[in-house]
mmCIF file of all heavy atoms in Angstrom:
data_model
loop_
_atom_site.group_PDB
_atom_site.id
_atom_site.type_symbol
_atom_site.label_atom_id
_atom_site.label_comp_id
_atom_site.label_asym_id
_atom_site.label_seq_id
_atom_site.Cartn_x
_atom_site.Cartn_y
_atom_site.Cartn_z
ATOM 1 N N CYS A 30 36.134 141.951 -171.293
ATOM 2 C CA CYS A 30 36.971 141.895 -172.489
ATOM 3 C C CYS A 30 36.776 140.549 -173.167
ATOM 4 O O CYS A 30 36.600 139.535 -172.507
ATOM 5 C CB CYS A 30 38.433 142.079 -172.118
ATOM 6 S SG CYS A 30 38.740 143.691 -171.401
ATOM 7 N N SER A 31 36.815 140.575 -174.487
ATOM 8 C CA SER A 31 36.678 139.343 -175.267
ATOM 9 C C SER A 31 37.833 139.238 -176.245
ATOM 10 O O SER A 31 38.207 140.220 -176.891
ATOM 11 C CB SER A 31 35.362 139.348 -176.052
ATOM 12 O OG SER A 31 34.275 139.295 -175.172
ATOM 13 N N PHE A 32 38.365 138.035 -176.365
ATOM 14 C CA PHE A 32 39.470 137.753 -177.271
ATOM 15 C C PHE A 32 38.909 137.324 -178.614
ATOM 16 O O PHE A 32 37.966 136.544 -178.686
ATOM 17 C CB PHE A 32 40.354 136.651 -176.678
ATOM 18 C CG PHE A 32 41.482 136.247 -177.577
ATOM 19 C CD1 PHE A 32 42.636 137.010 -177.628
ATOM 20 C CD2 PHE A 32 41.393 135.116 -178.367
ATOM 21 C CE1 PHE A 32 43.691 136.649 -178.464
ATOM 22 C CE2 PHE A 32 42.433 134.742 -179.197
ATOM 23 C CZ PHE A 32 43.584 135.514 -179.253
ATOM 24 N N ILE A 33 39.523 137.816 -179.699
ATOM 25 C CA ILE A 33 39.139 137.432 -181.060
ATOM 26 C C ILE A 33 40.393 136.886 -181.740
ATOM 27 O O ILE A 33 41.333 137.648 -181.993
ATOM 28 C CB ILE A 33 38.582 138.629 -181.849
ATOM 29 C CG1 ILE A 33 37.393 139.237 -181.114
ATOM 30 C CG2 ILE A 33 38.206 138.214 -183.264
ATOM 31 C CD1 ILE A 33 36.975 140.591 -181.639
ATOM 32 N N PRO A 34 40.438 135.576 -182.027
ATOM 33 C CA PRO A 34 41.642 135.026 -182.663
ATOM 34 C C PRO A 34 41.794 135.558 -184.095
ATOM 35 O O PRO A 34 40.814 135.674 -184.819
ATOM 36 C CB PRO A 34 41.397 133.516 -182.661
ATOM 37 C CG PRO A 34 39.948 133.322 -182.434
ATOM 38 C CD PRO A 34 39.408 134.571 -181.786
ATOM 39 N N LYS A 35 43.019 135.922 -184.458
ATOM 40 C CA LYS A 35 43.325 136.392 -185.815
ATOM 41 C C LYS A 35 44.669 135.819 -186.216
ATOM 42 O O LYS A 35 45.600 135.800 -185.421
ATOM 43 C CB LYS A 35 43.409 137.925 -185.880
ATOM 44 C CG LYS A 35 42.109 138.651 -185.621
ATOM 45 C CD LYS A 35 41.053 138.345 -186.634
ATOM 46 C CE LYS A 35 41.235 139.134 -187.892
ATOM 47 N NZ LYS A 35 40.190 138.988 -188.864
ATOM 48 N N SER A 36 44.793 135.387 -187.467
ATOM 49 C CA SER A 36 46.066 134.817 -187.907
ATOM 50 C C SER A 36 46.721 135.648 -189.005
ATOM 51 O O SER A 36 47.858 135.392 -189.364
ATOM 52 C CB SER A 36 45.852 133.379 -188.394
ATOM 53 O OG SER A 36 44.912 133.375 -189.459
ATOM 54 N N GLY A 37 46.030 136.631 -189.555
ATOM 55 C CA GLY A 37 46.588 137.438 -190.643
ATOM 56 C C GLY A 37 47.767 138.291 -190.199
ATOM 57 O O GLY A 37 47.914 138.609 -189.031
ATOM 58 N N LYS A 38 48.604 138.645 -191.156
ATOM 59 C CA LYS A 38 49.781 139.463 -190.841
ATOM 60 C C LYS A 38 49.499 140.952 -190.970
ATOM 61 O O LYS A 38 50.286 141.775 -190.550
ATOM 62 C CB LYS A 38 50.947 139.075 -191.750
ATOM 63 C CG LYS A 38 51.420 137.665 -191.489
ATOM 64 C CD LYS A 38 52.626 137.329 -192.299
ATOM 65 C CE LYS A 38 52.993 135.877 -191.999
ATOM 66 N NZ LYS A 38 54.341 135.568 -192.218
ATOM 67 N N LYS A 39 48.372 141.326 -191.575
ATOM 68 C CA LYS A 39 48.077 142.738 -191.801
ATOM 69 C C LYS A 39 46.885 143.231 -190.984
ATOM 70 O O LYS A 39 46.356 144.292 -191.248
ATOM 71 C CB LYS A 39 47.819 142.978 -193.292
ATOM 72 C CG LYS A 39 49.036 142.691 -194.144
ATOM 73 C CD LYS A 39 48.792 143.021 -195.579
ATOM 74 C CE LYS A 39 50.047 142.727 -196.387
ATOM 75 N NZ LYS A 39 49.882 143.100 -197.778
ATOM 76 N N THR A 40 46.480 142.470 -190.005
ATOM 77 C CA THR A 40 45.337 142.840 -189.180
ATOM 78 C C THR A 40 45.720 143.990 -188.250
ATOM 79 O O THR A 40 46.651 143.866 -187.457
ATOM 80 C CB THR A 40 44.850 141.641 -188.340
ATOM 81 O OG1 THR A 40 44.523 140.570 -189.228
ATOM 82 C CG2 THR A 40 43.635 142.004 -187.515
ATOM 83 N N GLU A 41 45.012 145.102 -188.354
ATOM 84 C CA GLU A 41 45.275 146.285 -187.518
ATOM 85 C C GLU A 41 44.988 145.959 -186.050
ATOM 86 O O GLU A 41 43.932 145.442 -185.716
ATOM 87 C CB GLU A 41 44.379 147.437 -187.958
ATOM 88 C CG GLU A 41 44.480 148.652 -187.088
ATOM 89 C CD GLU A 41 45.246 149.772 -187.732
ATOM 90 O OE1 GLU A 41 45.414 149.759 -188.957
ATOM 91 O OE2 GLU A 41 45.661 150.653 -186.991
ATOM 92 N N GLY A 42 45.951 146.250 -185.181
ATOM 93 C CA GLY A 42 45.765 146.068 -183.747
ATOM 94 C C GLY A 42 46.065 144.675 -183.232
ATOM 95 O O GLY A 42 45.898 144.398 -182.048
ATOM 96 N N LYS A 43 46.509 143.775 -184.117
ATOM 97 C CA LYS A 43 46.813 142.407 -183.685
ATOM 98 C C LYS A 43 47.985 142.436 -182.706
ATOM 99 O O LYS A 43 48.998 143.077 -182.947
ATOM 100 C CB LYS A 43 47.152 141.534 -184.889
ATOM 101 C CG LYS A 43 47.382 140.085 -184.537
ATOM 102 C CD LYS A 43 47.640 139.284 -185.795
ATOM 103 C CE LYS A 43 48.504 138.100 -185.465
ATOM 104 N NZ LYS A 43 49.054 137.472 -186.641
#
Side-chain angles (χ1 to χ4, degrees):
C30 297
S31 294
F32 177 81
I33 303 167
K35 294 297 280 186
S36 59
K38 294 185 182 205
K39 296 184 179 183
T40 303
E41 175 106 18
K43 184 177 152 194

